[in-house]
Amino acid sequence: MTLPLERQETAAPARAPGIDTHALAAEVIRKADKSHPADLVLRGTFHKLRAISRGQSREVSRLVFSYYRWQGWLDPRRRLESQLKRAAELASGFAERPETFSDEKLLTRSLPAWASGEIEVAASWVRAIQAEPILWLRARRGAAGELAAALRQAKACGLPDAVWYFGDQDLFHRKEFQTGRFEIQDISSQAVSILCDPQPGQTWWDACAGEGGKTLHLAELMENKGLIWATDRAEWRLKRLKARAARARCFNYRAAFWDGGERLPTRTRFDGVLVDAPCSGIGTWQRNPHARWTTTPEDVRELAEIQKRLLLHAAAAVKPGGRLVYAACTLSRSETQGVAEDIDAQLAGFEPLPLPDLVQPGRPSAPRRWFWPEDLRGNGMFVAAWRRVAPAP
């Protein structure tokens, strides 16, 4: 189910006096590196500039991300400000007339050289990640149409509760957000919770919960009945989850620290365990183009080993008949197919669990699912699942 491309009309950003957006974007790029991702540098820069308008911050962000999206097309010998201007021209040209950009040039200039050895590189994927990303919301269950109508510049599409927002309001100040009527969540992330298929009254564990986007979605699908354990190795993420859960009126969860080791945070045995594992983030290369040029093959291999350890440890908490779900917002062979095959071989007492096709409903189920950016117009995502058929030793 590939969503149609639609031109989004946006108003020209308002300009506050004394701020040169091109110079500010260049400053961000000079500070950004592997240890200081561009999106974090942007946040820190905007936090210090209290006088910057929302329109200016959007323009600076667009300039920075366009630079990294089109970096392979730029002449590094030119001044950075000149490269920014050229990147903006390329972004505008691609948005208006993508057919004038050949597949050959897109494939050779838009990705790091090592990518083809780890990823099923196709022109459709590269075209998808060269476009500016869209903003996805997750409405309360069954209320996507109502939310889209309230926000006006929005459309319910793609998945049951997904809403595509193409306006320019500050959504965090909308009463619908403050009263928990929606979350900002990528559509591919929403797909993961749907594939988990948690039922009201069950007990689930979101093992790498982060700030809790999928925890809250699982709770919504469970009608806030039953119990969800949410764990992470970063206490600050769990604190953010607490604030988000209060706003969403989600109270059927427990938060706990887990470092990914063999010692589990609880002796509870679960109907389902979701391991949304740390990964290389290749699936986010549209939304986070800086990562294309900082991620390495070594990162991919190291993270694949971490994912396997997490899955093998977390599997011990699955009760007979329960399911283990592996998700990662990456598309590398090592982390997706490679991890799934190793788990098939190492995980005793489990069998692959068929998952429905959410992109083309009605097609046969399969135990592994890829979501490419061109499928749902969201992040790239991989999902695999297993069912425990024998008690743990």
Side-chain angles (χ1 to χ4, degrees):
M1 175 176 54
T2 302
L3 300 179
L5 290 170
E6 296 186 6
R7 183 172 296 180
Q8 301 174 24
E9 302 294 340
T10 56
R15 293 178 175 274
I19 293 181
D20 183 333
T21 53
H22 278 72
L24 189 56
E27 178 185 335
V28 169
I29 290 167
R30 291 188 182 101
K31 291 179 179 178
D33 55 28
K34 188 178 179 71
S35 301
H36 304 87
D39 57 341
L40 295 182
V41 177
L42 274 167
R43 286 184 210 172
T45 301
F46 295 155
H47 182 71
K48 293 177 183 177
L49 292 173
R50 301 290 186 181
I52 194 169
S53 69
R54 289 189 63 248
Q56 286 177 321
S57 63
R58 283 198 306 272
E59 184 178 0
V60 172
S61 298
R62 187 174 291 115
L63 284 168
V64 169
F65 293 133
S66 292
Y67 169 83
Y68 289 115
R69 200 167 284 124
W70 296 97
Q71 183 173 320
W73 299 65
L74 306 177
D75 184 350
R77 296 169 297 181
R78 301 181 67 179
R79 292 178 62 249
L80 185 52
E81 287 78 3
S82 177
Q83 294 182 58
L84 281 166
K85 181 179 178 181
R86 177 57 180 157
E89 292 171 351
L90 288 164
S92 177
F94 185 76
E96 295 174 5
R97 298 185 63 191
E99 71 279 0
T100 62
F101 291 71
S102 72
D103 288 350
E104 180 183 1
K105 288 184 178 178
L106 285 166
L107 288 166
T108 56
R109 298 184 183 184
S110 306
L111 301 170
W114 61 266
S116 60
E118 270 287 354
I119 309 165
E120 295 292 338
V121 175
S124 58
W125 173 56
V126 179
R127 287 186 177 277
I129 65 174
Q130 286 305 101
E132 288 195 14
I134 63 178
L135 180 62
W136 287 102
L137 314 178
R138 178 177 58 79
R140 278 288 180 90
R141 198 172 188 185
E146 179 185 343
L147 177 65
L151 297 177
R152 296 187 179 182
Q153 294 175 299
K155 181 168 65 175
C157 58
L159 291 177
D161 301 316
V163 174
W164 172 6
Y165 181 70
F166 44 87
D168 59 0
Q169 302 177 61
D170 185 348
L171 293 176
F172 293 108
H173 287 90
R174 291 281 309 200
K175 66 178 181 180
E176 293 88 353
F177 178 77
Q178 294 175 353
T179 55
R181 289 176 59 188
F182 72 86
E183 294 288 330
I184 296 175
Q185 185 178 26
D186 186 77
I187 191 170
S188 297
S189 180
Q190 296 179 43
V192 172
S193 300
I194 292 172
L195 290 176
C196 286
D197 193 28
Q199 299 300 307
Q202 288 186 336
T203 303
W204 273 76
W205 177 23
D206 186 359
C208 304
E211 296 177 29
K214 294 182 182 68
T215 299
L216 299 182
H217 196 187
L218 292 171
E220 179 87 1
L221 294 172
M222 293 167 64
E223 301 174 6
N224 284 316
K225 299 174 183 177
L227 179 65
I228 301 175
W229 277 76
T231 60
D232 200 84
R233 62 186 307 163
E235 296 284 358
W236 64 268
R237 293 195 187 104
L238 296 176
K239 289 180 180 178
R240 290 192 180 179
L241 164 59
K242 182 178 180 180
R244 294 180 69 184
R247 189 186 63 249
R249 299 176 185 177
C250 168
F251 305 110
N252 64 325
Y253 82 99
R254 294 179 183 174
F257 173 84
W258 183 52
D259 62 2
E262 290 185 74
R263 184 174 181 178
L264 303 184
T266 173
R267 294 185 179 182
T268 302
R269 292 298 174 259
F270 296 93
D271 296 290
V273 174
L274 168 61
V275 180
D276 183 15
C279 67
S280 61
I282 292 171
T284 68
W285 277 5
Q286 179 187 22
R287 195 173 304 280
N288 181 21
H290 182 214
R292 299 184 199 181
W293 313 110
T294 58
T295 303
T296 67
E298 290 73 24
D299 294 331
V300 171
R301 289 190 288 270
E302 289 174 8
L303 286 160
E305 293 303 315
I306 291 172
Q307 291 157 23
K308 284 181 269 191
R309 288 198 299 272
L310 288 169
L311 283 163
L312 292 171
H313 293 161
V318 179
K319 66 170 62 171
R323 56 182 57 191
L324 173 68
V325 181
Y326 161 52
C329 56
T330 187
L331 299 166
S332 71
R333 294 186 188 92
S334 296
E335 294 173 280
T336 57
Q337 189 77 17
V339 168
E341 289 174 354
D342 278 2
I343 294 300
D344 283 342
Q346 297 182 51
L347 204 55
F350 283 78
E351 66 178 8
L353 175 67
L355 301 170
D357 190 333
L358 301 182
V359 178
Q360 298 185 43
R363 295 184 64 183
S365 297
R368 295 165 193 170
R369 289 292 176 202
W370 283 262
F371 296 95
W372 292 80
E374 62 267 36
D375 293 334
L376 294 174
R377 297 200 67 193
N379 290 336
M381 185 74 71
F382 175 79
V383 185
W386 298 264
R387 180 190 290 113
R388 182 183 283 282
V389 293

